[in-house]
Amino acid sequence: MSERALPRGVASLVSTRAGRLAAAAVGTGAAGLFYATVIERNAFALRHVTMPVLEPGSTPLRVLHISDLHMMPNQYLKQAWVSELASLEPDLVVNTGDNLAHPGAVPAVIQALDGLLTHPGLFVFGSNDYFGPTPKNPFKYFDSEHERKHGEPLPWRDLRAAFIERGWLDATHRTHEIEVAGTRIVAAGVDDPHLDRDRYDTVAGRPNPLAQLRLGLTHSPEPRVLDRFADDGYDLVMAGHTHGGQLCLPFVGALVTNCELDRSRVKGPSRWGAHMRLHVSAGLGTSPYAPARFCCRPEATLLTLTPVSHGGGDDAGIESLPQLAEDRV
């Protein structure tokens, strides 16, 4: 029976209920959008992760992993939160790229990282260090082979020069041997695989077996690159790029990774192969054209690297911190 044939009172009731449901749906959508774009996007979190990757007998090493700042000059809240990370006094800082989202953001990035630039650091760049963001159909993220369009060139050379001037080492297609807090580290990295700029052959080969940590860096955790690091005997690879999925669903998790990595490894620690560990940062920012996070807070991670036990049965562990005073909206 059509609504037109219903008695007037029943038809009015149906219409009223339909209107209320529509209004509720609109209200819920608006509330969700507000939460994702205003609340969670600025609810920065510090994660604590313990990973057994060092040679037996080594002293634990504290490594701060920062990625995907996507900094805009006027993002003062993010800048202030990042600047407070220096109080953690890490032994080593690793930055896996996508620092910029605006051609005028280099001073903001350097100011935010100022205290951390006094500590030993390693970095590689990502696509949004080289090119500015552009508007994109969000459904394209479900197709890892979609055509990519680059925005305006960004001043990555200025950012690189500033990092190097303050003492951080560029690991892009380079191998470095350093000693940090008494730990001997071999570190190597590649340029962003998301842009097909990776040239792993420039760092290929087994790293120094006397090192207590063999560390690989890449912006996008593409399996083809992870496989090469694993085959060469690296202990740990650190990456970013995925934003942890950025928009996730309760009990489901990330819908996409924006690369060839499987969704189960979209953020945090995991194993890659029999001997190598992987840590993917969910990052601290978003594209200005997709300024939302849901069930995926922006984050930095303090990793405590510990020796592998002689039994070899260690599992990567993650622990969400009791929120520090600076972890606030």
Side-chain angles (χ1 to χ4, degrees):
M1 180 181 294
S2 68
E3 183 179 325
R4 189 176 302 171
L6 291 173
R8 182 176 300 178
V10 176
S12 176
L13 180 60
V14 170
S15 178
T16 300
R17 287 184 175 177
R20 287 176 179 173
L21 287 173
V26 171
T28 300
L33 183 63
F34 176 82
Y35 172 80
T37 59
V38 177
I39 304 300
E40 186 163 328
R41 181 171 66 92
N42 294 301
F44 306 109
L46 177 67
R47 307 296 181 192
H48 285 278
V49 172
T50 300
M51 300 184 76
V53 294
L54 302 179
E55 288 293 314
S58 301
T59 302
L61 190 71
R62 298 167 74 247
V63 180
L64 181 65
H65 187 185
I66 294 175
S67 196
D68 298 88
L69 286 166
H70 292 281
M71 189 70 77
M72 300 284 285
N74 62 348
Q75 291 179 324
Y76 305 117
L77 181 65
K78 184 195 300 182
Q79 293 160 28
W81 191 88
V82 171
S83 69
E84 293 186 25
L85 293 174
S87 65
L88 297 170
E89 296 288 335
D91 299 314
L92 176 68
V93 182
V94 172
N95 182 317
T96 49
D98 272 11
N99 296 275
L100 305 174
H102 187 279
V106 171
V109 171
I110 298 303
Q111 183 173 350
L113 295 175
D114 181 64
L116 292 172
L117 287 164
T118 64
H119 297 269
L122 297 159
F123 68 92
V124 292
F125 282 158
S127 58
N128 284 133
D129 292 303
Y130 300 119
F131 303 103
T134 58
K136 182 186 295 185
N137 182 341
F139 290 103
K140 287 187 176 182
Y141 285 106
F142 289 91
D143 177 13
S144 61
E145 300 299 323
H146 69 267
E147 182 181 358
R148 300 182 180 94
K149 295 182 179 180
H150 301 313
E152 60 182 325
L154 294 176
W156 64 271
R157 292 179 180 85
D158 295 341
L159 184 64
R160 179 179 183 272
F163 282 171
I164 291 175
E165 182 181 9
R166 296 293 298 275
W168 281 10
L169 299 175
D170 184 357
T172 307
H173 297 152
R174 292 173 172 83
T175 300
H176 298 284
E177 293 199 25
I178 60 176
E179 185 171 313
V180 175
T183 299
R184 189 171 184 177
I185 302 172
V186 174
V190 296
D191 209 344
D192 189 8
H194 190 61
L195 295 180
D196 294 322
R197 295 174 67 121
D198 53 302
R199 302 292 181 267
Y200 188 87
D201 286 343
T202 60
V203 295
R206 298 191 70 81
N208 188 341
L210 298 179
Q212 294 160 285
L213 173 65
R214 290 157 286 270
L215 176 64
L217 277 65
T218 178
H219 176 64
S220 179
E222 298 293 346
R224 69 174 187 274
V225 174
L226 301 179
D227 286 343
R228 294 292 301 273
F229 276 120
D231 289 344
D232 279 345
Y234 279 79
D235 304 303
L236 170 64
V237 171
M238 299 173 70
H241 177 71
T242 66
H243 295 192
Q246 190 167 322
L247 299 176
C248 302
L249 295 178
F251 310 110
V252 175
L255 301 179
V256 296
T257 64
N258 196 25
C259 63
E260 296 298 328
L261 188 72
D262 58 280
R263 292 188 298 115
S264 68
R265 295 181 173 90
V266 71
K267 66 177 179 180
S270 62
R271 287 184 178 271
W272 191 268
H275 305 290
M276 193 177 82
R277 307 297 179 107
L278 171 66
H279 185 265
V280 179
S281 171
L284 282 160
T286 67
S287 166
Y289 296 105
R293 281 180 177 257
F294 191 78
C295 293
C296 186
R297 292 174 64 181
E299 67 180 41
T301 308
L302 185 63
L303 294 90
T304 300
L305 306 185
T306 60
V308 175
S309 69
H310 291 286
D314 304 275
D315 288 320
I318 183 167
E319 174 189 357
S320 294
L321 83 153
Q323 291 297 303
L324 298 181
E326 65 265 32
D327 293 345
R328 61 179 182 269
V329 176

